[in-house]
Amino acid sequence: MFAPPTALRRVVAALLAASLAAAGLTACGSDEPAASGTTLTLTIRGNENDKAVFEQRLAQAKKALPGIDVKLVQIDNDNYDTKVQTMFAGAQAPDVLMIDEAVNVYSSKGQLEDLKPRLASAGVDPVGRFGQGALDTYSTDGKLWAAPDRGGAMVVYYNKDIFDAQGVAYPDSTWDWTRFREAAAKLTVRDGGKVKSWGYAAGDWWPWTMTWMYQNGGRVLDASGAPVVNSSANVEALQFYNDVVLKDHSAPSPIDYANAGLDNGKPDALFEQGKLAMVTTGFWNIASLKESRVKWDIAPLWHGRKSAVPAFGSGLAVSSRSRHKDEAARLVAYLTSVEGQLPIVTSGLDVPANLEAVASEAFKKPTWNTRGVNLAAFAESAPVIYSPPLVPEWKEMQKAFTDGMTPVWKGEDSVQAGLDRVQKSLERIIR
C-alpha cells in the first residue's frame, strides 16, 4: 500500500541518520539468537529507510520486552509476497510479517493467527487504538488478521496561489460534491484554448474511483461478498466523476495527460509545476514537495452523502506457523503502541496507525515540518477511513475495473455499460 518516492527516501534517510545518531542506536535484527529467551523473525517490505525505522523501533522493543529478540528480514517491494510465500512453503515462515492488500491471500490459506484474542490478552483495545475502519481492512469473519501499523488517509493537496488568484476559499472537511465541482471549475484557468491550470486531477486509480462510490453510499461487494458494482449509487457516483472530466473539462482526460507527455492518471508532475489546483493523494507527497516553489497545503477530503476516505498503510500479522505466537503478539502490541510508533513520527516516514500517536503534538508539529503543513488533516480524516474489499482476488478485481472502465474514461461508452462489464467480470472472478 505504500511506495515512498525517491524524494521521500532522501528526506527520511537524512532524518533517520540524525535521529539514530542522537539516540545512539545501532541496528537490530541480528542473526544471532538472544543469550536467553526467544528469537523471532520479522519480515518487512520496503527500502533502506523502512528498514532503518524498524531497526529503531526494534531497539526500543528489545528494552521493553526482555527475553524477546528479533531477526529483521527486509525484502524489496516487488518480491515481498513471493519471497514470504516461499518461506511459508519451505517451513521457514516468519513469526511476524508486514502485510497490506494481500492480507486475505494469506488468511485464506490459513497462514495467519487471529490477533483479536491475543491483543485482548495483552490489554489492547483494538478499536480504541486503531479505529474501526482501519481494523476492518484487516478483518474477515470477525477475526483480526493484522494490527494496523502505518495508515495515512488520503487528503487534498491544494495550490494556494491558484486558489488565491481565483478567489476560491481553501478546501476543508465541510466541502461537499457541489462545492468541490464549483471550485474545480473556477480553478481551471484557460488562456485562449490552452489550459494554464486544471482544477482537479482524475484517473482510474482505485482510491480515486472507489471513493466516489463509497461517498455516495455504494459498494463493490455486498455484505455476503457478492459483486454489486453496477448499482444505481455507483453509476451516479462515477457519472459525476466522469462529468467533471469530460463535461466540465475541470480535470485532465486520458488525452490531456497524453498531450502533456504524462502517463494517464499521473498528475504529480502537474501539481509540482503549478498547473494543478487540487489532487487527492497520500502522506508520501509531503517529502516529494518539500523543495517545491509552489505554495501548497493539505486539507481533509470532501464528502458526498456520507464521509468516506481511503487510506494507505500496512499491518503487522502473526504467522499461524509460529512456534512463539504469544511472544509474537506481544511484539506486535508493543510496535503498535504510541511508544512503538514514535520513530515513524519523528522520522517523517509515514502516518502512524495508532490514533493517539496520529493525534499527538509530536505528529502534528514535528521538527521536520518546516513548511507548516496542516498535518492535523490526517487525524481529522482517521475516523472516516473506509475499508476497501481486500478479497484474495483483489488484483484481478483491479484489472476488471481497468478493462471495463477504460472506454468510459475516454468518453467512448456510458458509465452504466462500463460498470456492467465490471460486474460480469467480478461475478466470474469472485465465486
Side-chain angles (χ1 to χ4, degrees), residues 43-45 75-84 98:
T43 56
I44 64 167
R45 67 191 313 162
I75 303 171
D76 65 277
N77 282 317
D78 291 342
N79 297 302
Y80 181 77
D81 288 318
T82 299
K83 290 191 175 181
V84 173
M98 181 187 285

Side-chain angles (χ1 to χ4, degrees), residues 220-221 225-230 400 419-431:
V220 176
L221 307 179
V228 288
V229 74
N230 60 345
L419 288 179
D420 286 343
R421 284 192 292 271
V422 179
Q423 175 73 17
K424 288 183 180 179
S425 295
L426 295 187
E427 289 174 353
R428 184 180 66 255
I429 294 168
I430 300 172
R431 299 180 184 278

Side-chain angles (χ1 to χ4, degrees), residues 223-297:
S224 69
V228 288
V229 74
N230 60 345
S231 67
S232 58
N234 287 347
V235 171
E236 181 182 51
L238 293 193
Q239 187 65 59
F240 175 90
Y241 182 49
N242 220 27
D243 283 351
V244 170
V245 180
L246 299 180
K247 187 175 180 179
D248 300 354
H249 302 287
S250 298
S253 68
I255 293 176
D256 294 321
Y257 278 115
N259 290 338
L262 300 171
D263 291 337
N264 183 30
K266 304 289 187 184
D268 287 356
L270 292 176
F271 192 84
E272 292 173 11
Q273 295 165 9
K275 298 178 181 178
L276 183 61
M278 295 184 286
V279 62
T280 51
T281 184
F283 181 90
W284 56 87
N285 266 350
I286 289 176
S288 301
L289 295 167
K290 189 173 184 296
E291 305 300 329
S292 173
R293 295 181 179 178
V294 171
K295 294 180 181 177
W296 59 276
D297 205 345

